Amino acid sequence: DAGVIQSPRHEVTEMGQEVTLRCKLISGHNSLFWYRQTMMRGLELLIYFNNNVPIDDSGMPEDRFSAKMPNASFSTLKIQPSEPRDSAVYFCASSSTGTGAYYYGYTFGSGTRLTVV
Amino acid sequence: ILNVEQSPQSLHVQEGDSTNFTCSFPSSNFYALHWYRWETAKSPEALFVMTLNGDEKKKGRISATLNTKEGYSYLYIKGSQPEDSATYLCAFRSENQGGKLIFGQGTELSVKP
């Protein structure tokens, strides 16, 4: 398995532009989490999905942010319009919501470093 | 609000030193406690998932203990090596919040040769 795959690895964009980040889950995982890493706040959860359904989006900063999971293996995080304060590393992670011996926690993607100028 | 606190924030040790750091988390509705190792410019890598009070886990020179009654976990590194330099994150999963993990701010470990 190739692990959790994020694209692009780096994105530099101008303020006001739309940005789309992509994430492919590990096959068989049914939960997907989007995190943002900043110096000030560390890793903060933006939104998570179980079985393609958004469960908790309370961490999404504002309406400029939206996330979708069109199928069981793929998710997008969109920022429109982007602002300089959105500059951060965005991680997605996937997990199986099995319990006991089948619960292994998260596997993280390699992140997308977003810079908005 | 669920709070996960880690201490110290950063630690500088010499090669060969043994070290430990602390993660404190809510003692109610406990489901699991995770430890991750996060090297600069990489993604967090799972070290341990701990679910039972009194659990002890070991991976090479790194081990962890768990006390769910009082809400803390310790991570130990025996004989630190420069390649252990990384940020160590703990994350708490509550019983009633689905698969959501709440991360601490991490302990940044630097091991000098």
Side-chain angles (χ1 to χ4, degrees), chain A residues 9 31 33 35 37-43 45 48 50 55-56 58 91 95-100 103-111 113, chain B residues 9 31-34 36 38-46 48-51 89 91-93 96-105 108:
Chain A
R9 288 294 302 271
S31 294
F33 306 83
Y35 279 85
Q37 182 219 355
T38 60
M39 289 292 290
M40 292 295 292
R41 303 174 87 157
L43 265 178
L45 179 67
Y48 81 97
N50 274 355
I55 302 299
D56 183 348
S58 58
F91 286 98
S95 173
S96 164
T97 50
T99 57
Y103 177 59
Y104 299 109
Y106 290 8
T107 301
F108 279 85
S110 50
R113 181 173 294 277
Chain B
Q9 201 170 354
Y31 185 85
L33 193 281
H34 296 230
Y36 286 84
W38 195 2
E39 287 182 75
T40 305
K42 294 188 177 178
S43 54
E45 176 197 341
F48 305 116
V49 179
M50 307 176 80
T51 54
L89 291 169
F92 168 76
R93 178 178 166 179
N96 53 7
Q97 298 233 324
K100 182 174 169 177
L101 288 182
I102 307 298
F103 282 85
Q105 291 279 57
E108 189 179 347

Side-chain angles (χ1 to χ4, degrees), chain A residues 4 12-13 16 30 35 37 41 43-44 51 62 64 67 76 84-85 87 89 93-94 96 105:
Chain A
V4 176
V12 180
T13 191
N30 62 342
Y35 279 85
Q37 182 219 355
R41 303 174 87 157
L43 265 178
E44 52 176 341
N51 298 315
E62 44 196 278
R64 298 184 297 107
T76 57
R85 61 194 165 119
S87 299
V89 181
S94 74
S96 164

Side-chain angles (χ1 to χ4, degrees), chain B residues 8-52:
Chain B
Q9 201 170 354
S10 64
L11 199 50
H12 300 266
V13 302
Q14 288 294 131
E15 183 175 354
D17 287 350
S18 292
T19 186
N20 66 84
F21 11 99
T22 306
C23 172
S24 62
F25 53 85
S27 54
S28 56
N29 299 313
F30 177 87
Y31 185 85
L33 193 281
H34 296 230
W35 281 99
Y36 286 84
R37 181 172 180 276
W38 195 2
E39 287 182 75
T40 305
K42 294 188 177 178
S43 54
E45 176 197 341
L47 285 174
F48 305 116
V49 179
M50 307 176 80
T51 54
L52 297 174

Side-chain angles (χ1 to χ4, degrees), chain A residues 2-102:
Chain A
V4 176
I5 299 171
Q6 287 189 248
S7 64
R9 288 294 302 271
H10 303 273
E11 176 83 30
V12 180
T13 191
E14 288 186 350
M15 184 171 73
Q17 296 297 305
E18 178 180 298
V19 174
T20 300
L21 312 181
R22 294 175 177 79
C23 176
K24 185 173 183 303
L25 283 70
I26 287 177
S27 175
H29 281 187
N30 62 342
S31 294
L32 182 283
F33 306 83
W34 281 102
Y35 279 85
R36 176 169 68 175
Q37 182 219 355
T38 60
M39 289 292 290
M40 292 295 292
R41 303 174 87 157
L43 265 178
E44 52 176 341
L45 179 67
L46 300 176
I47 185 171
Y48 81 97
F49 296 83
N50 274 355
N51 298 315
N52 305 5
V53 176
I55 302 299
D56 183 348
D57 65 355
S58 58
M60 296 284 260
E62 44 196 278
D63 292 346
R64 298 184 297 107
F65 284 68
S66 62
K68 289 184 181 174
M69 202 163 169
N71 58 56
S73 60
F74 182 72
S75 177
T76 57
L77 177 69
K78 189 178 288 187
I79 309 172
Q80 164 65 20
S82 57
E83 296 183 4
R85 61 194 165 119
D86 302 331
S87 299
V89 181
Y90 291 81
F91 286 98
C92 76
S94 74
S95 173
S96 164
T97 50
T99 57
Y102 301 101

